[in-house]
Amino acid sequence: MIKANQPIEEISQPLYTYRLDLHISGANLPFRCFLRFFQRNIFTRNNWVLFTATEVSEDTSNPQYKTNIQFDYIFSVQQEIRVEAVTGEYDFIGYAEFKFANLLNAANQTLPLLLHKGTTQGNEESYVVIKCDNFSDNTDEVRLSLGANFLKSFVFKPRTYISVWKREDDQKYTSLARSDSVDSNVPMWEPVKLKMKDICKKENSRLLRVVIHQIPKMGQEKIMGHAEITYQQIFKEDVKTFQIVKFSRKDEKKVLTKEVGTLFVQQKETIYDHQFIDYLFGGLDILSAIAIDFSKIVFSEPSGTGGRGESHIRLVENSFSYIADVLAPYHLSKTVGFLGFGAQDSSEESSKSPSECFTMKGNSENNNFSSSREAIKAYRETLLQSNYKSQPKRNLTNVIKSIVAEFRKDLFFSSNLRYFTITLIIEEADEDIQELVNYLVPLSNEMPLTIFLVGIGKGSFQALECFEIYSKREYLKDSKGDILSISTLNFLNFETIGNNGGNLAKELLKIIPSRVTSYMKRNKDKPIMKQPNTVLKKNTIFDPLRNTSKEIEDANIVVTNMQPISHKTNGSQGIFDKIF
């Protein structure tokens, strides 16, 4: 193994959480009702736990709830939400349940939910509508270079600086920033840096007050005047000058002001700091494949456990089920591809090697599953395939090559909003790791990909210890001397986390947000889906997506002024349909 002469890096990453704002409304609800919100995930031990509630609505059937609801979103954990509608007298109206990931991938991040009514309620349909945004966690920055012309003439150059204040809902002002002082009759101050979330309030711009301060002597200071501006005026309406006024006096009815100069915008810039959640909102599509090792299975064994025992089969199922449920909502088809390797169909004269993948349950028509329950059923049925024969001599490098070859057939393979993951459930690893590194180094520079290897059972995984996520990992080089990115390939022995599938998914998949963000920023940080280099023809069959031209049109991403808007469709089929 060739090791790079680089510092050792510890790959174990923190669990990223994103604070999202939820905006709640209702349609055709009874008067004076409120909504209760429960969540269920591995942290609540899969029990429903109340985390917030709205206020009681006024006398309207279509309420717009004002309660500020914030939710901590975690990519690597399946988070389920239950909404219950209850009257002010605590009569149960109905409920709805959904996966939070489906809200993030909904058009405009807006999800209408049909309430399942209680037994005492009428048959008329009622809805709860949930919309989310990430404004509270927005880290974009605005930089403004401002200058001023004063009506008054000065004998000596005045020393001045500016401070920027925002007006709150209670009409009070909060300080945001101040510039360094300059000596000039026409001062042009150094740029002030402002957080976007401070100067905007959701869709509306906050009123900002720019105060000009003069320092006539050391230790003295007076206010020369102020100007009121908004982000909307400067960046949307392109207003370049603002009147500087000074309070002259107050009478009983109003405050009187007089003009003392002009504030002008010398330079303006918005620094976008896109986060993982921004790319999800912009249409990020994660195409995932999970492949299971069948190299030690005795097919058609009467017990249906492949000769490994029921406990081992349940262990395998537990290892992939949570990963599948977390990843499925992030693909257009809301599915994950499931494959097997380490076995061959003995009934066919096939040139496939044992390292190539085969479709689960012998069904080449549909190998994409929307839930772990479907995948577990297919896995069990595959164990009973009498025409399959295990092949212990399989090579992980070739298994990955086989899956990547199918990824390349993806119609949107070149899109910079497509991301790929491969998860291999393996029972042993005695590989030539240098061969694997030699293949992955150029591949990781070519396509956005993260690979996870999960060790199951008592087999030897010593060859993969250099990829273990909890270890201090050294940079590895291919035979040409190029370095493999640390988190391209990640290994975890299932026993290390107590054979807990939920914790396995949490610990492995938490790597993806930072991987996606770094990839996007290397690609100019523009969340825009590229048009496929394909001429759409009538009656064309698209391999391997098998989309209709209308579905492809619906899947395009529209981006305006770097504000990504997603138009997704649930009609797309998965990449692993009919490909083997």
Side-chain angles (χ1 to χ4, degrees), residues 496-511:
T496 303
I497 53 173
N499 296 324
N500 185 305
N503 287 336
L504 175 69
K506 174 174 66 70
E507 292 301 301
L508 284 181
L509 301 183
K510 71 181 182 181
I511 295 169

Side-chain angles (χ1 to χ4, degrees), residues 164-354:
V164 182
W165 303 68
K166 69 174 178 180
R167 189 167 71 182
E168 303 288 4
D169 294 337
D170 59 4
Q171 307 304 309
K172 294 182 180 180
Y173 284 85
T174 302
S175 176
L176 298 179
R178 61 166 288 174
S179 70
D180 294 332
S181 60
V182 296
D183 297 330
S184 176
N185 288 326
V186 185
M188 289 179 287
W189 298 282
E190 288 296 313
V192 289
K193 300 178 181 180
L194 306 168
K195 292 296 183 182
M196 181 73 79
K197 65 182 179 181
D198 288 335
I199 66 176
C200 294
K201 183 180 180 182
K202 304 300 182 195
E203 295 83 6
N204 303 316
S205 293
R206 290 182 182 272
L207 183 67
L208 303 178
R209 176 170 288 183
V210 180
V211 180
I212 298 93
H213 305 258
Q214 183 182 5
I215 308 175
K217 294 181 180 180
M218 185 68 68
Q220 295 183 0
E221 183 177 311
K222 68 177 183 178
I223 293 177
M224 301 181 68
H226 71 271
E228 293 187 337
I229 65 176
T230 66
Y231 177 86
Q232 176 76 17
Q233 290 174 317
I234 295 175
F235 284 88
K236 305 297 183 183
E237 301 172 9
D238 202 27
V239 178
K240 298 186 183 298
T241 60
F242 301 86
Q243 186 182 59
I244 300 175
V245 299
K246 185 177 182 179
F247 295 124
S248 57
R249 64 185 179 85
K250 298 181 179 179
D251 61 20
E252 294 180 356
K253 295 184 178 180
K254 63 179 181 179
V255 177
L256 301 180
T257 60
K258 68 176 182 178
E259 183 178 358
V260 296
T262 301
L263 182 77
F264 59 86
V265 180
Q266 182 184 11
Q267 204 169 19
K268 58 186 179 182
E269 184 181 13
T270 301
I271 309 298
Y272 292 100
D273 180 24
H274 290 304
Q275 304 175 68
F276 174 72
I277 196 72
D278 295 314
Y279 296 107
L280 283 183
F281 285 3
L284 175 68
D285 194 28
I286 302 177
L287 186 55
S288 301
I290 297 176
I292 301 172
D293 188 353
F294 285 84
S295 61
K296 294 187 177 183
I297 292 296
V298 179
F299 287 94
S300 70
E301 195 266 341
S303 68
T305 61
R308 306 306 307 279
E310 181 64 23
S311 61
H312 178 84
I313 298 304
R314 288 186 179 276
L315 194 67
V316 173
E317 293 169 349
N318 193 26
S319 69
F320 67 71
S321 59
Y322 282 87
I323 294 176
D325 287 336
V326 169
L327 291 175
Y330 296 97
H331 181 41
L332 286 174
S333 65
K334 302 290 187 275
T335 61
V336 171
F338 271 88
L339 310 167
F341 65 92
Q344 289 179 310
D345 187 347
S346 58
S347 65
E348 298 179 359
E349 293 184 3
S350 173
S351 60
K352 287 185 178 181
S353 75

